[in-house]
Amino acid sequence: MADTITDIDNSPEALSSAALRRKMLKEFWFYFSENRGAVIGLYVFVALVLIAIFAPLVAPHSPFEQYRDAILLPPAWLDGGNVSYLLGTDPVGRDILSRLIYGAQYSLFIGVFVTTLSLTSGILIGVIAGYYRGWLDTAIMRLMDIILAFPSLLLALVLVAILGPGLINGMIAIALVLQPHFVRLTRAAVMTEKTRDYVTASRLAGAGPFRLMFRTILPNCTAPLIVQATLSFSNAILDAAALGFLGMGAQPPAPEWGTMLAEAREFILRAWWVVTFPGLAILITVLAINLMGDGLRDALDPKLKRS
């Protein structure tokens, strides 16, 4: 039995498949790495992930602990600063650096949750609309057009007002706002692939609608969806920070970057660091993810590949 398994694993088909995957990965990395900004964005994003995972080990203080003798301390390199609080403290004496580090966990959780929810639901609806067409397609696309007609943040605020303030409700609202982009993209890709010869051959071979939609057509539509998911990841972080700033997202004392900005806006003139560092964290994170999205677009879109 063991010899049989070994023979199967070392078969020419398995070896050629593994070699093909390695070749595809090398080609992907070649085109991705040609974009210097994308590589920098990838490094920053990986660093953000590591910081979020090891936040309890990296953060010098608890993000919730208040040091009453260290209220509104400036960063350590300014007069009056303390090396125990490298980026200073907030109006109630909490260490800003520790709250930024733990805030990375919130940002990643928000991005993953919102992107996964909007991606899966958008793909499901888009595949159905693009495959069946007719009145069902018309009804779905008119609904998506209505959603896209509203400013995204305004619509998210309305949905959160209906569902109630909170991080989970805010993420659900953002996912619903971002969903139409995936629906339209998936529908267009499915309509293009549906007329291909391999789909016709699969239908003649007896494949049912479910298999045709999700096993035959959908795998060939993934490249633009991956790029859109990357961009939606950054949009989710931005929208969640905006909701937190307006008091409709994560609620205090959660160390979410938008909530930190909301708590510190009245101190912007006398304690600039309380507002600047959370804003920079949002800026750097979103910029890094967008740069990664540009690199993915260059690597996955055959039209942009240079010979």
Side-chain angles (χ1 to χ4, degrees), residues 168-199:
I168 298 298
N169 290 340
M171 290 190 297
I172 294 174
I174 296 170
L176 292 175
V177 170
L178 295 178
Q179 183 190 72
H181 300 286
F182 292 102
V183 174
R184 293 169 67 91
L185 195 60
T186 305
R187 172 182 175 270
V190 169
M191 288 171 56
T192 301
E193 295 295 325
K194 185 182 175 182
T195 59
R196 305 284 187 184
D197 292 339
Y198 72 90
V199 178

Side-chain angles (χ1 to χ4, degrees), residues 101-154:
I101 291 173
Y102 277 90
Q105 294 181 337
Y106 282 81
S107 294
L108 290 179
F109 175 69
I110 290 168
V112 170
F113 181 91
V114 170
T115 303
T116 301
L117 183 58
S118 58
L119 177 66
T120 52
S121 59
I123 286 177
L124 179 62
I125 298 172
V127 168
I128 293 173
Y131 184 83
Y132 286 107
R133 302 299 304 276
W135 67 268
L136 182 61
D137 176 39
T138 302
I140 290 174
M141 295 316 298
R142 294 298 77 76
L143 177 61
M144 296 301 113
D145 290 339
I146 292 173
I147 295 175
L148 289 173
F150 291 92
S152 59
L153 184 57
L154 177 60

Side-chain angles (χ1 to χ4, degrees), residues 5-262:
I5 296 175
T6 303
D7 293 341
I8 294 174
D9 292 340
N10 293 328
S11 63
E13 292 80 4
L15 291 175
S16 61
S17 178
L20 180 61
R21 285 195 296 269
R22 286 196 296 270
K23 181 180 178 181
M24 292 175 63
L25 287 174
K26 287 182 179 179
E27 182 182 4
F28 168 82
W29 178 251
F30 172 78
Y31 287 107
F32 183 86
S33 60
E34 281 198 335
N35 188 327
R36 299 290 181 84
V39 176
I40 295 173
L42 176 63
Y43 289 154
V44 173
F45 182 75
V46 170
L48 179 68
V49 172
L50 294 176
I51 288 173
I53 293 174
F54 298 104
L57 301 177
V58 177
H61 303 278
S62 167
F64 305 107
E65 189 168 355
Q66 302 177 6
Y67 300 94
R68 293 299 184 179
D69 58 341
I71 292 177
L72 285 180
L73 282 182
W77 60 86
L78 298 180
D79 293 337
N82 190 324
V83 292
S84 298
Y85 313 101
L86 288 177
L87 299 183
T89 58
D90 66 6
V92 293
R94 293 172 298 195
D95 181 51
I96 293 177
L97 176 60
S98 300
R99 289 179 64 78
L100 290 177
I101 291 173
Y102 277 90
Q105 294 181 337
Y106 282 81
S107 294
L108 290 179
F109 175 69
I110 290 168
V112 170
F113 181 91
V114 170
T115 303
T116 301
L117 183 58
S118 58
L119 177 66
T120 52
S121 59
I123 286 177
L124 179 62
I125 298 172
V127 168
I128 293 173
Y131 184 83
Y132 286 107
R133 302 299 304 276
W135 67 268
L136 182 61
D137 176 39
T138 302
I140 290 174
M141 295 316 298
R142 294 298 77 76
L143 177 61
M144 296 301 113
D145 290 339
I146 292 173
I147 295 175
L148 289 173
F150 291 92
S152 59
L153 184 57
L154 177 60
L155 183 57
L157 280 171
V158 172
L159 293 174
V160 172
I162 296 172
L163 298 174
L167 181 60
I168 298 298
N169 290 340
M171 290 190 297
I172 294 174
I174 296 170
L176 292 175
V177 170
L178 295 178
Q179 183 190 72
H181 300 286
F182 292 102
V183 174
R184 293 169 67 91
L185 195 60
T186 305
R187 172 182 175 270
V190 169
M191 288 171 56
T192 301
E193 295 295 325
K194 185 182 175 182
T195 59
R196 305 284 187 184
D197 292 339
Y198 72 90
V199 178
T200 304
S202 298
R203 185 183 296 110
L204 293 175
F210 184 86
R211 182 178 181 86
L212 285 173
M213 286 189 291
F214 296 101
R215 295 292 300 275
T216 305
I217 298 177
L218 184 59
N220 295 288
C221 307
T222 54
L225 291 173
I226 292 173
V227 177
Q228 182 62 41
T230 306
L231 300 178
S232 295
F233 197 104
S234 62
N235 287 335
I237 295 175
L238 268 180
D239 289 346
L243 290 178
F245 181 78
L246 296 173
M248 303 296 284
Q251 300 298 302
E256 195 271 327
W257 295 336
T259 305
M260 291 174 63
L261 287 173

